[in-house]
Amino acid sequence: MEVVIRPTAAEGSCLAADLVESVVATTPRAVLGLATGSSPVGLYDELGHRVATGRVSFAGCRAFLLDEYVGLPTGHPQRYRSVIDEIFVRQVGMSSDSVDGPNGNASDLAEACVEYERRITEAGGVDIQLLGLGSDGHDAFNEPSSSLASRTRLKTLTRRTREDNARFFGGDVAAVPRHCLTQGLGTILEARRIVLIAAGVSKAPAVRAMVEGPVSALVPASVLQLHPRVTVILDEPAASLLQLADYYREVWENKPAWQRP
Ligand code: GLP
């Protein structure tokens, strides 16, 4: 696991954009894995800027969402499918048709999950998966106790996640759906490259548990320790509880040029 600590979240977003840009430059038909939440917004803004200046193009790319709420009607502003159009797809000039997500309104949700896995496989799998981190250590919507081998399925959100996400629903926890469909941890681990972004002191305990704790279903994101190509990008507050922070800084400062994006 590569841990990169940047002084600010904005600098972290720029580094994440460099990584995405390097994948798209070498794989023009790259398959992107997209996260929602606030953590990747700076990255998406930066990528939009780079598209506008002609530095990168997503014209040949496809994308898959990590997760979706169950039961939010089409057009609801907090449906992740709507959110991603707003924060990413429009900015980078991709067509909405090239972006796919789990169908949280399917009459047969179990079948929708199987179908979603099939579509990811048919697309050739994910070249670069972008992730945030829940304050309870969840990835996508894989809440604590999720199977480390899980596939796309229905999950019940924890009270804590619903409280964290209430800010997107006018502060009303009751308005946050109880259920979601989410790629499983086993699904996420199949991405060829993973970039996780976390910022702010509220994420510090989850970051420490994910990076330096044992691999455990209690901290679902800790499963990323088993993936061969993960870059965790943190700002200083998010990194503030890491035992080996100085070592991670030293590694980054001395990283050979040929290994950089
Ligand atoms: C949600 C999403 C996750 C996201 C997490 C953190 O629960 N399903 O994909 O990583 O929240 O959100 P934020 O980046 O807003 O802190």
Side-chain angles (χ1 to χ4, degrees), residues 36-39 66-67 80 132-134 138 140-141 161 165 167 203:
T36 45
S38 46
S39 304
L66 281 171
D67 45 14
Y80 278 173
L133 176 66
H138 74 232
F141 269 141
T161 295
N165 289 2
R167 68 189 193 280
K203 298 290 173 72

Side-chain angles (χ1 to χ4, degrees), residues 77-141:
Q78 289 310 322
R79 261 187 91 208
Y80 278 173
R81 193 59 193 74
S82 314
V83 170
I84 211 71
D85 275 347
E86 187 70 31
I87 64 176
F88 179 74
V89 178
R90 237 173 265 161
Q91 294 214 69
V92 302
M94 278 175 83
S95 83
S96 201
D97 295 347
S98 54
V99 181
D100 201 346
N103 181 1
N105 288 319
S107 52
D108 185 338
L109 291 170
E111 177 59 22
C113 293
V114 172
E115 270 299 301
Y116 192 55
E117 289 267 345
R118 190 186 54 73
R119 296 200 296 277
I120 296 172
T121 304
E122 276 179 10
V126 171
D127 290 298
I128 182 162
Q129 177 65 59
L130 307 173
L131 293 176
L133 176 66
S135 65
D136 63 359
H138 74 232
D139 250 346
F141 269 141

Side-chain angles (χ1 to χ4, degrees), residues 169-181:
F169 291 80
D172 180 9
V173 181
V176 182
R178 241 172 230 289
H179 294 110
C180 62
L181 302 185

Side-chain angles (χ1 to χ4, degrees), residues 68-71 154-157 162 176-181:
E68 182 59 273
Y69 291 112
V70 167
L154 179 91
K155 286 294 286 180
T156 305
L157 298 175
R162 293 176 68 232
V176 182
R178 241 172 230 289
H179 294 110
C180 62
L181 302 185

